[in-house]
C-alpha cells in the first residue's frame, strides 16, 4: 500500500522536427523497479522517456519526451499525491537546444552551432516539494563513489545508487547491472553483477 513514483529511460531534446539529442538509457532499470514495487503491493506511477519496453499491467505509465515535459509531469503528480518513495532512475538530459528549428535543417551548411541551455535539476527540486524518501541514480565513468556522494548531498537524497557506464554488463542498455547503494547515514551496500529485475527486487 505504499505510493511510489518512478522515472525511467532517457529524455530527448529536439533539434528540428526530425532530429534530437539523447542518451543510451534503455529504461530497463526503472521499469524493473516499477514492476518490483507493484508486485510488492505498491501503487506505482511511472514517468517514462521514449523506451522500447512493454507497459506494466496495473502501473500508471505517463509517457514524456523532453526533460521539461518530465519536469512538468512530476510537478503535476506531486501536487496531487503524497508519495512514500520516489526513485529518480531516468537519465535526464542536462541541457536543451536554445533555438529549436521548426523546419528541417538542410545538409548544405558547412558548419552548424547548437547552443544548449541548462535544464532544471528535477531531483534537487523534489526534496523541497515532497516528504517522500528520495532515491537518485548516478551513472559515472570515473571517481564513482566521490561523485555519487556529492550528488547524494547536493540533491538532499536519502539514497543514491551508483553504477558505471564503462563497466561490461553494467549501466545503460544491458539487462544486467552492478550497483552500489549509499545512504545519507553513511551506509554502503554493493549488489554484485546480476539481472536488473533481480536487483530491483532487493
Ligand atoms: N537528474 C534530474 N534532473 C536533471 C539531471 C539529473 O532529476 N536535470 C537526476 C537523475 O535522474 C539522477 C540524478 O539526478 O537520479 C543524477 O543524475 P546525473 O545526470 O548523474 O546528475 P547531474 O547532477 O546532472 O551530474 P553530472 O554533472 O554528473 O551530469
Amino acid at each position: 500500500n505504499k505510493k511510489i513514483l518512478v522515472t525511467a529511460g532517457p529524455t530527448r531534446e529536439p533539434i528540428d522536427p526530425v532530429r534530437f539529442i539523447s542518451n543510451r538509457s534503455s529504461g530497463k532499470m526503472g521499469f524493473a523497479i516499477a514492476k518490483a514495487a507493484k508486485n510488492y503491493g505498491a501503487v506505482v506511477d511511472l514517468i517514462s522517456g521514449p523506451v522500447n519496453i512493454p507497459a506494466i499491467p496495473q502501473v500508471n505509465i505517463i509517457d514524456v519526451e523532453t526533460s521539461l515535459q518530465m519536469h512538468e509531469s512530476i510537478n503535476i503528480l506531486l501536487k496531487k499525491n503524497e508519495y512514500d518513495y520516489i526513485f529518480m532512475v531516468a537519465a535526464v538530459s542536462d541541457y536543451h537546444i536554445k533555438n529549436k528549428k521548426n523546419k528541417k535543417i538542410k545538409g548544405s551548411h558547412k558548419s552548424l552551432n547548437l547552443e544548449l541551455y541548462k535544464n532544471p535539476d528535477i531531483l534537487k527540486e523534489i526534496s523541497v516539494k515532497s516528504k517522500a524518501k528520495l532515491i537518485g541514480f548516478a551513472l559515472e565513468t570515473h571517481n564513482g563513489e566521490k561523485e555519487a556522494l556529492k550528488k547524494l548531498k547536493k540533491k538532499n537524497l536519502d539514497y543514491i545508487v551508483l553504477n558505471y557506464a564503462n563497466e561490461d554488463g553494467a549501466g545503460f542498455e544491458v539487462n544486467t547491472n552492478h550497483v552500489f547503494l549509499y545512504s545519507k547515514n553513511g551506509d554502503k551496500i554493493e549488489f554484485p553483477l546480476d539481472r536488473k529485475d533481480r536487483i530491483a527486487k532487493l
Side-chain angles (χ1 to χ4, degrees), residues 35 43 55 67-68 73 75 80 82 132 141 146 154 159-160:
K35 192 171 177 182
V43 177
S67 265
L68 293 177
S73 188
N75 283 343
K80 288 197 283 196
E82 273 293 345
T141 54
K146 195 170 150 227
K154 184 178 93 181
Y159 299 93
I160 193 148

Side-chain angles (χ1 to χ4, degrees), residues 8 10 12 15 25 32 36 40 42 51 76-77 79 84 91 99 138-139 149 152 160 169 179 181 190 198 201:
R12 279 182 187 168
I15 298 170
S25 169
Y40 281 131
V51 296
I76 292 169
L77 288 177
K79 274 190 197 136
D84 297 294
N99 289 319
L139 182 79
L149 291 175
L152 176 81
I160 193 148
V179 308
L181 177 71
E190 179 176 0
R198 289 212 196 106
K201 282 186 203 155

Side-chain angles (χ1 to χ4, degrees), residues 7 67 70 74 87-95 118-124 126 135-140 147 151 154-155 157 160:
T7 67
S67 265
M70 186 170 278
I74 288 180
F87 292 83
M88 194 74 198
V89 196
V92 182
S93 175
D94 287 323
Y95 302 93
K118 187 89 174 83
N119 284 327
D121 188 328
I122 304 175
L123 186 52
K124 195 172 169 200
I126 292 177
I135 302 97
F137 273 67
L139 182 79
E140 307 292 345
E147 292 296 322
K151 285 172 195 180
K154 184 178 93 181
K155 301 187 191 221
L157 306 178
I160 193 148

Side-chain angles (χ1 to χ4, degrees), residues 16 19 104-112:
D16 72 6
R19 303 177 180 100
K104 186 185 166 198
I105 300 171
K106 303 305 282 180
S108 50
H109 302 275
K110 265 214 170 119
S111 70
L112 282 175

